[in-house]
Each structure stands twice: as C-alpha cells, then as structure tokens.
Amino acid sequence: MEQNMIYDVSYMEALKRGFKQYATFSGRASRSEFWRFMVSREIIINSLGVLSIIVDMIFGENSDISDYTIWLFIIMHLIYLMPTIAYSSRRLHDIGRSGMTLFMVLIPIVGFFVLLSDFVKQGDVSSNAYGERTSYVVVTPTEEEQIGIERTASLREDVTMGALAIILYIWVFVYDFIPAAWIAYNTSGFITIP
C-alpha cells in the first residue's frame, strides 16, 4: 500500500510561479506559496546586499565594482517589485480580502502590522469571490513521479530558510542603517566624539 504524501509548493516552484504570474492580480495564493516566495526573494536580494558589503570591504566604497554591485542590488529590487505586489494581492484574495487592502501599508506603522496579520492567516477553506480553494493536494508517491512535482519542503527546511533570510536581512540592515543613523545623530549636535 502506497503512503499518501502532501504536496505543496516548493521554494523553486513558488519563485517560478511568481515570475510566470508576474502581473496576475486575480486568483488566490496559499499561505505557504506566498511565504516561500517571499523568503526566497529575501534570500536572493539580501545575498546581493551582503555581496555588496563584502565588495565594499575589499575594494572600498568608491570603487567601480562597488557601484556595480549596488546597481545590481537596486535592479533586483525592481525586478521583484511587480511579482511581490501581485503575490501579495493574490494572498489577500485567499483570505477573502481585496487586493486594494495593500494600500494599508501607506498607514504608518499600523498598516504594516495589519497587512502582516492578514498574510499569516489561513486561507478560506472553500471557494470565495476570488476563486477556488488553494493549499495542498494529497498525492501518492507514484502520482508524484508521474506528475513530476518537486518534494514539498519540510518544517525544518522552512525554519532554516526563514532563519537564513532573517540573518541576511539583519546583516544588511546593521551594515547600512546603523552607521548612517550614527552619523546623522552625531551631526545633529547631540553627541560629540573628541
């Protein structure tokens, strides 16, 4: 007897769907699909940020190669902008909210946390105004081979990928933001270092 397996979207599949549905704002995206796309995106973009930091350390901040890595970092942000907005809209559809809810991010501080709470909610278990139910499909190993789907990430892999994304984000944030904030703080005359 074959054991049934739960198939869900892998990290690579989430990235592929993000770019295949680059500007598709209709339909739904499951919670796991959305978060696997977002984590993959953060790992890629923040890896470029870390590369930029390392290049700055080796060649200096005013070198040509440093400028190229910064431009690559900016270009990657622009490449991911539209798929991120589209995925976010489809994720909101999965919980029965309009994609226009994304404009809540314009409300300082509160809007971000309201959107974040929407992004972590479980999707509607039945069809809603935006389409059929999303999430996983139960398949047998034989069906998995026939369809040619990738193995679903385990909870351990999800935690590892999330931790990697957070570490890279903190590294880029600390390297870029803290020195700039310190300089701004010191130039405003609050603290003078002899």
Side-chain angles (χ1 to χ4, degrees):
M1 181 176 165
E2 295 187 60
Q3 180 183 2
N4 289 342
M5 303 174 67
I6 295 176
Y7 164 69
D8 203 346
V9 179
S10 67
Y11 287 94
M12 253 344 251
E13 185 64 29
L15 273 175
K16 288 177 192 174
R17 284 186 190 182
F19 286 101
K20 283 180 186 172
Q21 299 173 352
Y22 196 80
T24 304
F25 294 89
S26 60
R28 295 167 64 173
S30 69
R31 180 172 45 185
S32 59
E33 179 182 350
F34 171 78
W35 283 109
R36 287 183 180 142
F37 172 80
M38 295 302 281
V39 166
S40 301
R41 181 193 87 129
E42 286 303 311
I43 288 173
I44 291 168
I45 288 176
N46 289 324
S47 293
L48 287 173
V50 169
L51 175 67
S52 177
I53 291 168
I54 292 170
V55 166
D56 284 353
M57 293 166 130
I58 294 171
F59 297 104
E61 291 183 14
N62 297 328
S63 68
D64 287 342
I65 195 164
S66 177
D67 293 343
Y68 293 136
T69 57
I70 289 170
W71 276 107
L72 182 61
F73 184 69
I74 292 168
I75 289 168
M76 287 305 288
H77 269 288
L78 293 174
I79 288 171
Y80 276 101
L81 180 64
M82 186 60 79
T84 300
I85 294 170
Y87 242 126
S88 299
S89 179
R90 292 194 306 270
R91 176 69 196 120
L92 289 169
H93 290 172
D94 193 41
I95 62 166
R97 307 269 314 253
S98 167
M100 299 304 258
T101 308
L102 283 173
F103 286 113
M104 289 190 75
V105 79
L106 299 175
I107 301 171
I109 301 169
V110 175
F112 169 78
F113 288 106
V114 170
L115 273 177
L116 184 61
S117 71
D118 285 345
F119 289 150
V120 297
K121 285 181 185 173
Q122 182 177 0
D124 292 345
V125 294
S126 59
S127 61
N128 64 18
Y130 301 102
E132 293 298 316
R133 176 178 189 246
T134 58
S135 197
Y136 63 86
V137 177
V138 178
V139 294
T140 64
T142 307
E143 291 172 327
E144 184 180 25
E145 268 184 43
Q146 290 171 345
I147 300 170
I149 57 178
E150 293 182 38
R151 184 185 58 79
T152 301
S154 66
L155 179 60
R156 183 178 184 171
E157 290 168 325
D158 284 341
V159 169
T160 303
M161 293 291 279
L164 178 61
I166 290 169
I167 289 167
L168 290 171
Y169 184 81
I170 289 171
W171 187 354
V172 171
F173 177 79
V174 166
Y175 184 81
D176 287 342
F177 178 74
I178 300 298
W182 181 253
I183 290 168
Y185 183 71
N186 285 331
T187 56
S188 63
F190 291 113
I191 293 179
T192 350
I193 299 176

